[in-house]
Short mmCIF file of all heavy atoms in Angstrom, two decimals:
data_model
loop_
_atom_site.label_atom_id
_atom_site.label_comp_id
_atom_site.label_asym_id
_atom_site.label_seq_id
_atom_site.Cartn_x
_atom_site.Cartn_y
_atom_site.Cartn_z
N MET A 252 -13.58 -32.93 -0.26
CA MET A 252 -13.65 -31.51 -0.04
C MET A 252 -12.35 -30.85 -0.51
O MET A 252 -11.26 -31.28 -0.15
CB MET A 252 -13.85 -31.26 1.45
CG MET A 252 -14.02 -29.83 1.80
SD MET A 252 -14.71 -29.78 3.47
CE MET A 252 -13.91 -28.39 4.07
N LYS A 253 -12.51 -29.84 -1.34
CA LYS A 253 -11.33 -29.14 -1.86
C LYS A 253 -10.78 -28.16 -0.83
O LYS A 253 -11.53 -27.54 -0.10
CB LYS A 253 -11.71 -28.34 -3.11
CG LYS A 253 -11.77 -29.13 -4.36
CD LYS A 253 -11.97 -28.19 -5.52
CE LYS A 253 -11.78 -28.90 -6.82
NZ LYS A 253 -11.94 -28.01 -7.93
N THR A 254 -9.48 -28.08 -0.82
CA THR A 254 -8.88 -27.07 0.04
C THR A 254 -8.91 -25.73 -0.68
O THR A 254 -8.67 -25.66 -1.89
CB THR A 254 -7.43 -27.44 0.40
OG1 THR A 254 -6.69 -27.58 -0.80
CG2 THR A 254 -7.37 -28.70 1.21
N PRO A 255 -9.24 -24.69 0.03
CA PRO A 255 -9.29 -23.39 -0.64
C PRO A 255 -7.91 -22.96 -1.12
O PRO A 255 -6.90 -23.23 -0.48
CB PRO A 255 -9.80 -22.44 0.44
CG PRO A 255 -9.66 -23.16 1.72
CD PRO A 255 -9.55 -24.62 1.43
N THR A 256 -7.89 -22.38 -2.28
CA THR A 256 -6.63 -21.90 -2.82
C THR A 256 -6.35 -20.50 -2.29
O THR A 256 -7.27 -19.76 -1.95
CB THR A 256 -6.66 -21.84 -4.36
OG1 THR A 256 -7.73 -20.99 -4.74
CG2 THR A 256 -6.85 -23.21 -4.95
N LYS A 257 -5.10 -20.19 -2.18
CA LYS A 257 -4.72 -18.86 -1.72
C LYS A 257 -5.08 -17.83 -2.78
O LYS A 257 -4.92 -18.08 -3.97
CB LYS A 257 -3.23 -18.79 -1.45
CG LYS A 257 -2.81 -19.33 -0.14
CD LYS A 257 -1.35 -19.01 0.08
CE LYS A 257 -0.91 -19.37 1.46
NZ LYS A 257 0.48 -19.04 1.69
N MET A 258 -5.54 -16.71 -2.32
CA MET A 258 -5.81 -15.62 -3.26
C MET A 258 -4.49 -15.02 -3.70
O MET A 258 -3.59 -14.83 -2.89
CB MET A 258 -6.67 -14.55 -2.61
CG MET A 258 -8.09 -14.98 -2.36
SD MET A 258 -9.09 -13.64 -1.70
CE MET A 258 -9.16 -12.56 -3.10
N GLN A 259 -4.40 -14.77 -4.96
CA GLN A 259 -3.20 -14.14 -5.50
C GLN A 259 -3.30 -12.64 -5.28
O GLN A 259 -4.37 -12.05 -5.45
CB GLN A 259 -3.06 -14.44 -6.98
CG GLN A 259 -2.86 -15.91 -7.29
CD GLN A 259 -1.58 -16.43 -6.68
OE1 GLN A 259 -0.56 -15.77 -6.68
NE2 GLN A 259 -1.64 -17.63 -6.13
N PRO A 260 -2.22 -12.01 -4.89
CA PRO A 260 -2.28 -10.56 -4.73
C PRO A 260 -2.55 -9.89 -6.07
O PRO A 260 -2.08 -10.34 -7.12
CB PRO A 260 -0.90 -10.19 -4.19
CG PRO A 260 -0.03 -11.34 -4.52
CD PRO A 260 -0.91 -12.55 -4.63
N THR A 261 -3.35 -8.86 -6.04
CA THR A 261 -3.63 -8.14 -7.27
C THR A 261 -2.48 -7.21 -7.59
O THR A 261 -1.81 -6.69 -6.70
CB THR A 261 -4.92 -7.31 -7.13
OG1 THR A 261 -4.77 -6.41 -6.04
CG2 THR A 261 -6.12 -8.20 -6.90
N LYS A 262 -2.26 -7.05 -8.86
CA LYS A 262 -1.21 -6.15 -9.29
C LYS A 262 -1.77 -4.74 -9.33
O LYS A 262 -2.86 -4.51 -9.85
CB LYS A 262 -0.70 -6.53 -10.68
CG LYS A 262 0.04 -7.83 -10.69
CD LYS A 262 0.58 -8.12 -12.07
CE LYS A 262 1.31 -9.45 -12.07
NZ LYS A 262 1.84 -9.78 -13.39
N THR A 263 -1.05 -3.83 -8.76
CA THR A 263 -1.49 -2.45 -8.80
C THR A 263 -0.69 -1.73 -9.87
O THR A 263 0.51 -1.95 -10.04
CB THR A 263 -1.28 -1.74 -7.45
OG1 THR A 263 0.09 -1.84 -7.09
CG2 THR A 263 -2.14 -2.37 -6.37
N VAL A 264 -1.38 -0.90 -10.58
CA VAL A 264 -0.74 -0.12 -11.62
C VAL A 264 -0.39 1.23 -11.02
O VAL A 264 -1.26 1.93 -10.50
CB VAL A 264 -1.69 0.08 -12.83
CG1 VAL A 264 -1.05 0.93 -13.89
CG2 VAL A 264 -2.11 -1.27 -13.37
N PRO A 265 0.88 1.58 -11.01
CA PRO A 265 1.25 2.86 -10.42
C PRO A 265 0.66 4.01 -11.22
O PRO A 265 0.61 3.98 -12.44
CB PRO A 265 2.78 2.87 -10.47
CG PRO A 265 3.14 1.87 -11.51
CD PRO A 265 2.02 0.88 -11.57
N THR A 266 0.18 5.00 -10.50
CA THR A 266 -0.35 6.19 -11.17
C THR A 266 0.70 7.28 -11.15
O THR A 266 1.53 7.34 -10.25
CB THR A 266 -1.62 6.71 -10.48
OG1 THR A 266 -1.31 6.99 -9.12
CG2 THR A 266 -2.74 5.70 -10.55
N LYS A 267 0.63 8.12 -12.13
CA LYS A 267 1.57 9.23 -12.21
C LYS A 267 1.11 10.30 -11.22
O LYS A 267 -0.04 10.72 -11.24
CB LYS A 267 1.57 9.80 -13.63
CG LYS A 267 2.43 11.02 -13.79
CD LYS A 267 2.19 11.67 -15.13
CE LYS A 267 2.70 13.07 -15.08
NZ LYS A 267 1.68 14.07 -15.32
N ALA A 268 1.98 10.70 -10.35
CA ALA A 268 1.64 11.76 -9.41
C ALA A 268 1.61 13.09 -10.16
O ALA A 268 2.34 13.30 -11.12
CB ALA A 268 2.68 11.81 -8.30
N LEU A 269 0.72 13.94 -9.72
CA LEU A 269 0.63 15.25 -10.34
C LEU A 269 1.88 16.07 -10.01
O LEU A 269 2.35 16.07 -8.88
CB LEU A 269 -0.60 16.01 -9.84
CG LEU A 269 -1.94 15.55 -10.37
CD1 LEU A 269 -3.06 16.33 -9.70
CD2 LEU A 269 -2.02 15.72 -11.86
N ALA A 270 2.38 16.75 -11.00
CA ALA A 270 3.53 17.63 -10.81
C ALA A 270 3.02 19.00 -10.36
O ALA A 270 1.84 19.33 -10.52
CB ALA A 270 4.31 17.76 -12.11
N TRP A 271 3.88 19.79 -9.80
CA TRP A 271 3.49 21.12 -9.34
C TRP A 271 2.96 21.97 -10.49
O TRP A 271 2.05 22.78 -10.32
CB TRP A 271 4.64 21.82 -8.64
CG TRP A 271 4.88 21.28 -7.27
CD1 TRP A 271 5.97 20.56 -6.85
CD2 TRP A 271 4.01 21.36 -6.14
NE1 TRP A 271 5.82 20.20 -5.54
CE2 TRP A 271 4.63 20.69 -5.07
CE3 TRP A 271 2.76 21.94 -5.93
CZ2 TRP A 271 4.03 20.59 -3.82
CZ3 TRP A 271 2.18 21.83 -4.67
CH2 TRP A 271 2.81 21.17 -3.65
N ASP A 272 3.52 21.80 -11.68
CA ASP A 272 3.03 22.55 -12.84
C ASP A 272 1.59 22.18 -13.17
O ASP A 272 0.82 23.02 -13.62
CB ASP A 272 3.92 22.31 -14.06
CG ASP A 272 5.26 23.03 -13.96
OD1 ASP A 272 5.35 24.00 -13.18
OD2 ASP A 272 6.20 22.61 -14.64
N ASP A 273 1.23 20.91 -12.94
CA ASP A 273 -0.16 20.50 -13.16
C ASP A 273 -1.10 21.20 -12.19
O ASP A 273 -2.18 21.65 -12.57
CB ASP A 273 -0.29 18.98 -13.01
CG ASP A 273 0.52 18.21 -14.03
OD1 ASP A 273 0.83 18.77 -15.10
OD2 ASP A 273 0.85 17.04 -13.75
N PHE A 274 -0.68 21.29 -10.93
CA PHE A 274 -1.49 22.01 -9.95
C PHE A 274 -1.63 23.48 -10.31
O PHE A 274 -2.70 24.07 -10.18
CB PHE A 274 -0.88 21.89 -8.54
CG PHE A 274 -1.11 20.56 -7.90
CD1 PHE A 274 -0.06 19.71 -7.65
CD2 PHE A 274 -2.39 20.16 -7.53
CE1 PHE A 274 -0.26 18.49 -7.05
CE2 PHE A 274 -2.60 18.93 -6.93
CZ PHE A 274 -1.53 18.09 -6.69
N ARG A 275 -0.53 24.08 -10.75
CA ARG A 275 -0.58 25.49 -11.16
C ARG A 275 -1.56 25.68 -12.30
O ARG A 275 -2.33 26.65 -12.32
CB ARG A 275 0.81 25.97 -11.62
CG ARG A 275 1.76 26.27 -10.48
CD ARG A 275 3.09 26.84 -10.97
NE ARG A 275 2.88 27.98 -11.83
CZ ARG A 275 3.53 28.18 -12.99
NH1 ARG A 275 4.42 27.32 -13.40
NH2 ARG A 275 3.29 29.24 -13.71
N LEU A 276 -1.54 24.77 -13.26
CA LEU A 276 -2.43 24.86 -14.41
C LEU A 276 -3.89 24.73 -13.97
O LEU A 276 -4.74 25.55 -14.35
CB LEU A 276 -2.09 23.76 -15.41
CG LEU A 276 -2.91 23.78 -16.68
CD1 LEU A 276 -2.02 24.06 -17.87
CD2 LEU A 276 -3.61 22.46 -16.86
N ILE A 277 -4.20 23.74 -13.15
CA ILE A 277 -5.57 23.54 -12.68
C ILE A 277 -6.04 24.73 -11.86
O ILE A 277 -7.17 25.20 -12.00
CB ILE A 277 -5.67 22.22 -11.88
CG1 ILE A 277 -5.42 21.03 -12.82
CG2 ILE A 277 -7.02 22.10 -11.19
CD1 ILE A 277 -5.20 19.73 -12.10
N LYS A 278 -5.17 25.25 -10.99
CA LYS A 278 -5.54 26.40 -10.16
C LYS A 278 -5.78 27.63 -11.01
O LYS A 278 -6.74 28.39 -10.77
CB LYS A 278 -4.45 26.68 -9.13
CG LYS A 278 -4.84 27.82 -8.19
CD LYS A 278 -3.83 27.99 -7.10
CE LYS A 278 -4.13 29.11 -6.14
NZ LYS A 278 -5.03 30.13 -6.50
N ALA A 279 -4.96 27.85 -12.03
CA ALA A 279 -5.15 29.01 -12.90
C ALA A 279 -6.49 28.93 -13.63
O ALA A 279 -7.20 29.93 -13.76
CB ALA A 279 -4.00 29.12 -13.90
N ILE A 280 -6.86 27.74 -14.10
CA ILE A 280 -8.15 27.57 -14.78
C ILE A 280 -9.29 27.81 -13.80
O ILE A 280 -10.27 28.49 -14.12
CB ILE A 280 -8.25 26.17 -15.42
CG1 ILE A 280 -7.21 26.03 -16.53
CG2 ILE A 280 -9.65 25.93 -15.97
CD1 ILE A 280 -7.06 24.61 -17.05
N ALA A 281 -9.17 27.27 -12.60
CA ALA A 281 -10.23 27.44 -11.59
C ALA A 281 -10.36 28.90 -11.17
O ALA A 281 -11.48 29.41 -11.02
CB ALA A 281 -9.94 26.57 -10.38
N ASP A 282 -9.24 29.58 -10.97
CA ASP A 282 -9.29 30.98 -10.53
C ASP A 282 -9.89 31.90 -11.59
O ASP A 282 -10.63 32.82 -11.27
CB ASP A 282 -7.88 31.49 -10.19
CG ASP A 282 -7.34 30.90 -8.91
OD1 ASP A 282 -8.12 30.28 -8.15
OD2 ASP A 282 -6.12 31.04 -8.67
N ARG A 283 -9.57 31.63 -12.85
CA ARG A 283 -10.02 32.53 -13.93
C ARG A 283 -11.29 32.04 -14.62
O ARG A 283 -11.88 32.76 -15.39
CB ARG A 283 -8.90 32.71 -14.93
CG ARG A 283 -7.85 33.65 -14.34
CD ARG A 283 -6.47 33.33 -14.84
NE ARG A 283 -5.48 34.16 -14.15
CZ ARG A 283 -4.85 33.79 -13.05
NH1 ARG A 283 -5.10 32.63 -12.48
NH2 ARG A 283 -3.96 34.58 -12.50
N ARG A 284 -11.66 30.81 -14.35
CA ARG A 284 -12.89 30.20 -14.89
C ARG A 284 -12.95 30.21 -16.40
O ARG A 284 -14.03 30.16 -16.99
CB ARG A 284 -14.13 30.87 -14.30
CG ARG A 284 -14.22 30.70 -12.82
CD ARG A 284 -15.44 31.36 -12.28
NE ARG A 284 -15.46 31.23 -10.85
CZ ARG A 284 -16.42 30.63 -10.17
NH1 ARG A 284 -17.43 30.12 -10.80
NH2 ARG A 284 -16.35 30.55 -8.87
N ALA A 285 -11.80 30.29 -17.02
CA ALA A 285 -11.73 30.26 -18.48
C ALA A 285 -10.33 29.80 -18.89
O ALA A 285 -9.33 30.27 -18.34
CB ALA A 285 -12.02 31.62 -19.07
N LEU A 286 -10.31 28.89 -19.83
CA LEU A 286 -9.04 28.34 -20.27
C LEU A 286 -8.14 29.39 -20.95
O LEU A 286 -6.96 29.46 -20.63
CB LEU A 286 -9.31 27.16 -21.20
CG LEU A 286 -8.15 26.23 -21.41
CD1 LEU A 286 -8.59 24.80 -21.23
CD2 LEU A 286 -7.59 26.44 -22.78
N PRO A 287 -8.67 30.24 -21.85
CA PRO A 287 -7.80 31.24 -22.47
C PRO A 287 -7.23 32.25 -21.46
O PRO A 287 -6.07 32.65 -21.57
CB PRO A 287 -8.72 31.95 -23.47
CG PRO A 287 -9.81 30.97 -23.76
CD PRO A 287 -10.00 30.21 -22.49
N ALA A 288 -8.03 32.62 -20.46
CA ALA A 288 -7.53 33.55 -19.44
C ALA A 288 -6.44 32.90 -18.60
O ALA A 288 -5.44 33.54 -18.24
CB ALA A 288 -8.68 34.03 -18.56
N ALA A 289 -6.61 31.62 -18.30
CA ALA A 289 -5.59 30.89 -17.55
C ALA A 289 -4.30 30.78 -18.36
O ALA A 289 -3.21 30.93 -17.83
CB ALA A 289 -6.10 29.51 -17.18
N ALA A 290 -4.45 30.52 -19.66
CA ALA A 290 -3.27 30.42 -20.53
C ALA A 290 -2.50 31.73 -20.55
O ALA A 290 -1.27 31.73 -20.45
CB ALA A 290 -3.71 30.03 -21.94
N THR A 291 -3.21 32.84 -20.65
CA THR A 291 -2.56 34.15 -20.65
C THR A 291 -1.83 34.39 -19.33
O THR A 291 -0.69 34.86 -19.32
CB THR A 291 -3.61 35.26 -20.88
OG1 THR A 291 -4.25 35.01 -22.13
CG2 THR A 291 -2.97 36.63 -20.91
N ALA A 292 -2.48 34.04 -18.22
CA ALA A 292 -1.86 34.24 -16.91
C ALA A 292 -0.61 33.39 -16.73
O ALA A 292 0.33 33.81 -16.07
CB ALA A 292 -2.87 33.92 -15.81
N LEU A 293 -0.60 32.22 -17.33
CA LEU A 293 0.55 31.33 -17.22
C LEU A 293 1.61 31.60 -18.29
O LEU A 293 2.67 31.00 -18.27
CB LEU A 293 0.09 29.87 -17.33
CG LEU A 293 -0.78 29.35 -16.18
CD1 LEU A 293 -1.37 27.99 -16.54
CD2 LEU A 293 0.03 29.26 -14.91
N GLY A 294 1.28 32.47 -19.24
CA GLY A 294 2.23 32.76 -20.31
C GLY A 294 2.32 31.64 -21.33
O GLY A 294 3.37 31.44 -21.93
N LEU A 295 1.21 30.91 -21.50
CA LEU A 295 1.18 29.79 -22.44
C LEU A 295 0.11 30.03 -23.49
O LEU A 295 -0.79 30.84 -23.32
CB LEU A 295 0.86 28.48 -21.70
CG LEU A 295 1.83 28.05 -20.61
CD1 LEU A 295 1.27 26.88 -19.83
CD2 LEU A 295 3.17 27.68 -21.22
N ASN A 296 0.21 29.27 -24.58
CA ASN A 296 -0.81 29.30 -25.62
C ASN A 296 -2.01 28.51 -25.11
O ASN A 296 -1.87 27.52 -24.41
CB ASN A 296 -0.24 28.65 -26.88
CG ASN A 296 -1.13 28.81 -28.07
OD1 ASN A 296 -2.32 28.52 -28.01
ND2 ASN A 296 -0.55 29.27 -29.17
N HIS A 297 -3.23 28.93 -25.48
CA HIS A 297 -4.42 28.24 -25.00
C HIS A 297 -4.47 26.78 -25.44
O HIS A 297 -4.96 25.92 -24.73
CB HIS A 297 -5.70 28.97 -25.41
CG HIS A 297 -6.05 28.82 -26.85
ND1 HIS A 297 -5.43 29.54 -27.84
CD2 HIS A 297 -6.93 28.00 -27.46
CE1 HIS A 297 -5.93 29.18 -29.01
NE2 HIS A 297 -6.84 28.25 -28.81
N SER A 298 -3.91 26.48 -26.61
CA SER A 298 -3.92 25.08 -27.07
C SER A 298 -2.99 24.23 -26.23
O SER A 298 -3.27 23.04 -25.99
CB SER A 298 -3.55 24.99 -28.56
OG SER A 298 -2.26 25.50 -28.78
N THR A 299 -1.90 24.81 -25.74
CA THR A 299 -0.98 24.09 -24.86
C THR A 299 -1.67 23.76 -23.54
O THR A 299 -1.57 22.64 -23.04
CB THR A 299 0.29 24.92 -24.60
OG1 THR A 299 0.93 25.19 -25.84
CG2 THR A 299 1.24 24.19 -23.66
N VAL A 300 -2.40 24.73 -23.00
CA VAL A 300 -3.12 24.51 -21.74
C VAL A 300 -4.19 23.43 -21.93
O VAL A 300 -4.35 22.55 -21.10
CB VAL A 300 -3.74 25.83 -21.22
CG1 VAL A 300 -4.64 25.59 -20.02
CG2 VAL A 300 -2.63 26.82 -20.86
N PHE A 301 -4.93 23.50 -23.04
CA PHE A 301 -5.96 22.50 -23.32
C PHE A 301 -5.36 21.11 -23.45
O PHE A 301 -5.89 20.13 -22.90
CB PHE A 301 -6.71 22.88 -24.59
CG PHE A 301 -7.89 22.00 -24.87
CD1 PHE A 301 -9.06 22.13 -24.15
CD2 PHE A 301 -7.81 21.03 -25.85
CE1 PHE A 301 -10.14 21.30 -24.40
CE2 PHE A 301 -8.89 20.20 -26.12
CZ PHE A 301 -10.06 20.34 -25.38
N ARG A 302 -4.24 21.00 -24.14
CA ARG A 302 -3.58 19.71 -24.33
C ARG A 302 -3.08 19.16 -22.99
O ARG A 302 -3.27 17.98 -22.67
CB ARG A 302 -2.42 19.85 -25.30
CG ARG A 302 -1.68 18.56 -25.59
CD ARG A 302 -0.62 18.70 -26.67
NE ARG A 302 0.00 20.01 -26.80
CZ ARG A 302 1.03 20.44 -26.05
NH1 ARG A 302 1.53 19.67 -25.11
NH2 ARG A 302 1.55 21.64 -26.23
N ARG A 303 -2.45 20.01 -22.18
CA ARG A 303 -1.94 19.57 -20.88
C ARG A 303 -3.08 19.17 -19.95
O ARG A 303 -2.97 18.20 -19.21
CB ARG A 303 -1.08 20.65 -20.25
CG ARG A 303 0.28 20.73 -20.91
CD ARG A 303 1.17 21.79 -20.34
NE ARG A 303 1.34 21.70 -18.92
CZ ARG A 303 1.92 22.65 -18.18
NH1 ARG A 303 2.36 23.74 -18.76
NH2 ARG A 303 2.03 22.51 -16.89
N LEU A 304 -4.20 19.89 -20.00
CA LEU A 304 -5.36 19.53 -19.19
C LEU A 304 -5.89 18.16 -19.61
O LEU A 304 -6.26 17.35 -18.78
CB LEU A 304 -6.44 20.60 -19.30
CG LEU A 304 -7.67 20.40 -18.45
CD1 LEU A 304 -7.32 20.37 -16.96
CD2 LEU A 304 -8.70 21.48 -18.74
N GLY A 305 -5.90 17.90 -20.91
CA GLY A 305 -6.32 16.60 -21.41
C GLY A 305 -5.40 15.49 -20.95
O GLY A 305 -5.86 14.39 -20.60
N GLN A 306 -4.10 15.75 -20.92
CA GLN A 306 -3.14 14.75 -20.45
C GLN A 306 -3.35 14.46 -18.97
O GLN A 306 -3.24 13.30 -18.54
CB GLN A 306 -1.71 15.23 -20.70
CG GLN A 306 -1.32 15.27 -22.16
CD GLN A 306 0.00 15.98 -22.40
OE1 GLN A 306 0.51 16.69 -21.54
NE2 GLN A 306 0.54 15.82 -23.61
N ILE A 307 -3.65 15.49 -18.20
CA ILE A 307 -3.91 15.29 -16.78
C ILE A 307 -5.17 14.46 -16.59
O ILE A 307 -5.20 13.53 -15.79
CB ILE A 307 -4.04 16.65 -16.05
CG1 ILE A 307 -2.70 17.40 -16.07
CG2 ILE A 307 -4.53 16.46 -14.62
CD1 ILE A 307 -2.81 18.85 -15.65
N ALA A 308 -6.20 14.78 -17.35
CA ALA A 308 -7.46 14.05 -17.23
C ALA A 308 -7.31 12.60 -17.69
O ALA A 308 -7.94 11.70 -17.12
CB ALA A 308 -8.54 14.74 -18.05
N ASP A 309 -6.48 12.35 -18.70
CA ASP A 309 -6.29 10.99 -19.20
C ASP A 309 -5.44 10.14 -18.25
O ASP A 309 -5.54 8.92 -18.26
CB ASP A 309 -5.64 11.00 -20.58
CG ASP A 309 -6.59 11.45 -21.67
OD1 ASP A 309 -7.82 11.46 -21.41
OD2 ASP A 309 -6.11 11.81 -22.75
N SER A 310 -4.60 10.81 -17.45
CA SER A 310 -3.82 10.05 -16.48
C SER A 310 -4.77 9.63 -15.36
O SER A 310 -5.88 10.13 -15.24
CB SER A 310 -2.68 10.89 -15.92
OG SER A 310 -3.17 11.88 -15.05
N ASP A 311 -4.35 8.72 -14.56
CA ASP A 311 -5.19 8.26 -13.46
C ASP A 311 -4.93 9.07 -12.20
O ASP A 311 -5.29 8.64 -11.10
CB ASP A 311 -4.93 6.78 -13.18
CG ASP A 311 -5.45 5.90 -14.29
OD1 ASP A 311 -6.43 6.32 -14.95
OD2 ASP A 311 -4.91 4.81 -14.50
N SER A 312 -4.34 10.24 -12.34
CA SER A 312 -4.01 11.04 -11.18
C SER A 312 -5.24 11.67 -10.55
O SER A 312 -5.34 11.78 -9.33
CB SER A 312 -3.02 12.15 -11.55
OG SER A 312 -1.86 11.58 -12.10
N ILE A 313 -6.15 12.13 -11.37
CA ILE A 313 -7.36 12.78 -10.87
C ILE A 313 -8.56 12.32 -11.66
O ILE A 313 -8.43 11.78 -12.74
CB ILE A 313 -7.26 14.32 -10.93
CG1 ILE A 313 -7.12 14.80 -12.38
CG2 ILE A 313 -6.16 14.85 -10.06
CD1 ILE A 313 -7.32 16.28 -12.55
N ARG A 314 -9.69 12.56 -11.12
CA ARG A 314 -10.95 12.29 -11.81
C ARG A 314 -11.71 13.61 -11.88
O ARG A 314 -12.29 14.03 -10.90
CB ARG A 314 -11.77 11.27 -11.04
CG ARG A 314 -11.10 9.96 -10.87
CD ARG A 314 -11.60 9.00 -11.91
NE ARG A 314 -11.04 7.69 -11.66
CZ ARG A 314 -10.35 7.05 -12.56
NH1 ARG A 314 -10.13 7.58 -13.73
NH2 ARG A 314 -9.88 5.86 -12.30
N PRO A 315 -11.69 14.26 -13.03
CA PRO A 315 -12.39 15.54 -13.12
C PRO A 315 -13.90 15.34 -13.01
O PRO A 315 -14.44 14.30 -13.34
CB PRO A 315 -12.02 16.06 -14.51
CG PRO A 315 -11.60 14.86 -15.27
CD PRO A 315 -11.07 13.87 -14.27
N GLY A 316 -14.58 16.37 -12.53
CA GLY A 316 -16.03 16.29 -12.36
C GLY A 316 -16.79 16.39 -13.66
O GLY A 316 -17.92 15.97 -13.75
N ILE A 317 -16.15 16.94 -14.68
CA ILE A 317 -16.80 17.06 -15.99
C ILE A 317 -15.89 16.46 -17.05
O ILE A 317 -14.68 16.49 -16.91
CB ILE A 317 -17.10 18.53 -16.34
CG1 ILE A 317 -15.83 19.39 -16.27
CG2 ILE A 317 -18.18 19.10 -15.44
CD1 ILE A 317 -16.01 20.80 -16.79
N PRO A 318 -16.47 15.89 -18.10
CA PRO A 318 -15.61 15.35 -19.16
C PRO A 318 -14.92 16.47 -19.92
O PRO A 318 -15.43 17.57 -20.02
CB PRO A 318 -16.59 14.59 -20.06
CG PRO A 318 -17.93 15.13 -19.73
CD PRO A 318 -17.88 15.69 -18.34
N ILE A 319 -13.76 16.15 -20.44
CA ILE A 319 -13.00 17.15 -21.20
C ILE A 319 -13.04 16.79 -22.65
O ILE A 319 -12.91 15.69 -23.05
CB ILE A 319 -11.55 17.21 -20.71
CG1 ILE A 319 -11.55 17.65 -19.25
CG2 ILE A 319 -10.70 18.14 -21.55
CD1 ILE A 319 -10.20 17.65 -18.61
#
C-alpha cells in the first residue's frame, strides 16, 4: 500500500489591484453610458479611455459582464 503524498501548495498569481483612476474611468462610463461622453467628462481622448478600459479588462482585476 502506497503512502499518500502530500499535496503541494498551489502557486497563486498576484492580481493587479484596481487604481482609483480605474474606478473613476469605469464610473464615468457607467454614469454617462457612452465612452465618448465619459472621455469628455474626464478630459481624455476617447481612444485613451478605450485603451485603458481594455487594459482593465485584460487584467485579472475584474471580470466585465460584456466582452470588450
Side-chain angles (χ1 to χ4, degrees):
M252 183 164 144
K253 279 187 169 182
T254 58
T256 58
K257 279 189 172 181
M258 290 184 68
Q259 296 298 320
T261 58
K262 292 183 181 179
T263 57
V264 178
T266 58
K267 175 190 162 241
L269 286 176
W271 285 112
D272 286 339
D273 297 337
F274 284 113
R275 283 184 53 225
L276 182 116
I277 294 167
K278 183 174 179 341
I280 295 169
D282 288 347
R283 285 149 186 92
R284 298 180 183 240
L286 198 132
T291 301
L293 293 169
L295 300 170
N296 189 310
H297 74 281
S298 61
T299 301
V300 173
F301 186 75
R302 181 174 30 83
R303 285 180 54 191
L304 183 61
Q306 290 169 345
I307 294 168
D309 287 344
S310 72
D311 291 331
S312 302
I313 62 168
R314 299 262 185 237
I317 55 172
I319 298 175

